[in-house]
């Protein structure tokens, strides 16, 4: 299982930069950037200039999780940076096929995210086009929540060949629920003790 470390719980921009510096020399596989516009979800996190500076500071693989109403605005600004995959939400009121195709046309992997209470059937039309399905195991838009085990029912309808990533409430106890996943996103837990807690999750 790969580990993607979210920097969401680092409060200030300066603190986020400091965390990235530590993660650059850690065993994390990805740095996970949570971008929120205050519209698609109620909280706000990382305006475009901040996101660009933070990605440039990272020497790891980077994934950008866009919890925003208008993802194209962000994609345009980061498509030429060191971004391994961009994750957009199935719930946005946008032409998803067009967005997926555009991300792929820039040689970036595409992840599709589904929120905690969204019916899994909504992602089915896109499964053949995406590289990864991110399943929110908490309600999107806020860090530090508890893992909700009911999300495990969703994967029963997902083909075995689809790479799965879980995001929300993942620590050394809850990671056992998702041992089959390709990637686990963890933020609050890892940032308590970066080296040790990444090791625990990988074990």
């Amino acid at each position: 299982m790969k580990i993607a470390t979210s920097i969401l719980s680092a409060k200030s921009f300066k603190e986020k930069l400091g965390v990235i510096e530590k993660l650059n020399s850690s065993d994390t596989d990805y740095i996970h950037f949570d971008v929120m516009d205050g519209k698609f979800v109620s909280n706000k996190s990382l305006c475009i200039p901040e996101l660009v500076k933070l990605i440039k500071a990272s020497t790891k693989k980077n994934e950008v999780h866009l919890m925003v109403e208008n993802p194209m605005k962000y994609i345009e600004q980061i498509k030429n940076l060191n971004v391994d995959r961009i994750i957009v939400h199935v719930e946005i009121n946008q032409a998803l096929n067009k967005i997926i195709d555009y991300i792929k046309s820039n040689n970036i992997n595409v992840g599709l995210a589904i929120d905690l209470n969204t019916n899994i059937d909504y992602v089915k039309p896109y499964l053949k086009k995406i590289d990864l399905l991110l399943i929110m195991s908490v309600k999107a838009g806020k860090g530090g929540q508890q893992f909700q085990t009911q999300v495990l029912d969703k994967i029963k309808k997902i083909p075995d060949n689809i790479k799965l990533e879980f995001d929300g409430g993942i620590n050394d106890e809850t990671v056992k629920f998702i041992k089959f996943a390709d990637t686990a996103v963890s933020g609050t837990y890892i940032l308590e003790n970066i080296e040790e807690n990444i090791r625990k999750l990988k074990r």
Side-chain angles (χ1 to χ4, degrees):
M1 179 188 289
K2 301 180 188 71
I3 301 300
T5 302
S6 167
I7 62 168
L8 179 63
S9 61
K11 300 302 181 188
S12 67
F13 178 76
K14 184 178 179 181
E15 190 179 341
K16 285 176 168 47
L17 274 175
V19 168
I20 286 173
E21 190 175 323
K22 292 176 183 176
L23 289 173
N24 282 340
S25 58
S26 76
D27 286 333
T28 195
D29 299 287
Y30 292 89
I31 296 179
H32 182 95
F33 296 91
D34 289 296
V35 183
M36 300 181 279
D37 62 359
K39 297 174 184 176
F40 180 74
V41 293
S42 58
N43 287 335
K44 292 186 79 169
S45 163
L46 296 184
C47 63
I48 289 173
E50 289 176 335
L51 177 62
V52 168
K53 288 176 184 176
L54 291 172
I55 292 172
K56 287 181 175 179
S58 167
T59 59
K60 290 288 186 178
K61 285 186 174 181
N62 301 302
E63 61 178 26
V64 178
H65 180 189
L66 294 174
M67 290 173 272
V68 300
E69 280 190 351
N70 183 14
M72 288 297 290
K73 181 172 70 173
Y74 296 82
I75 293 164
E76 285 291 348
Q77 298 300 315
I78 64 174
K79 65 183 182 182
N80 295 319
L81 301 179
N82 173 29
V83 177
D84 185 75
R85 60 188 174 218
I86 294 174
I87 301 163
V88 295
H89 266 263
V90 71
E91 298 90 358
I92 59 172
N93 187 23
Q94 300 274 341
L96 265 179
N97 278 312
K98 184 178 177 182
I99 294 170
I100 291 169
D101 291 342
Y102 185 73
I103 295 170
K104 282 187 166 294
S105 74
N106 286 281
N107 296 312
I108 299 171
N109 293 313
V110 179
L112 185 62
I114 181 168
D115 206 355
L116 179 66
N117 297 318
T118 301
N119 190 306
I120 195 68
D121 290 340
Y122 283 99
V123 304
K124 288 183 177 178
Y126 310 102
L127 290 179
K128 290 183 179 179
K129 300 186 73 170
I130 63 173
D131 301 293
L132 181 92
L133 177 63
L134 184 151
I135 297 179
M136 294 300 300
S137 41
V138 298
K139 188 81 177 77
K142 187 180 177 183
Q145 300 177 70
Q146 290 189 334
F147 185 94
Q148 301 296 307
T149 55
Q150 70 263 29
V151 299
L152 300 174
D153 291 333
K154 289 185 175 182
I155 63 170
K156 295 174 183 176
K157 293 186 176 183
I158 299 298
D160 292 339
N161 64 318
I162 301 297
K163 286 185 177 180
L164 296 176
E165 179 172 44
F166 283 81
D167 183 359
I170 294 169
N171 55 40
D172 58 336
E173 292 294 323
T174 56
V175 73
K176 65 187 178 186
F177 295 122
I178 58 164
K179 289 187 288 187
F180 54 84
D182 179 79
T183 311
V185 180
S186 181
T188 305
Y189 171 73
I190 286 179
L191 298 195
E192 290 170 357
N193 188 334
I194 289 173
E195 291 291 351
E196 178 62 22
N197 289 351
I198 289 173
R199 275 197 294 270
K200 285 181 178 178
L201 290 179
K202 290 200 168 198
R203 281 203 300 266

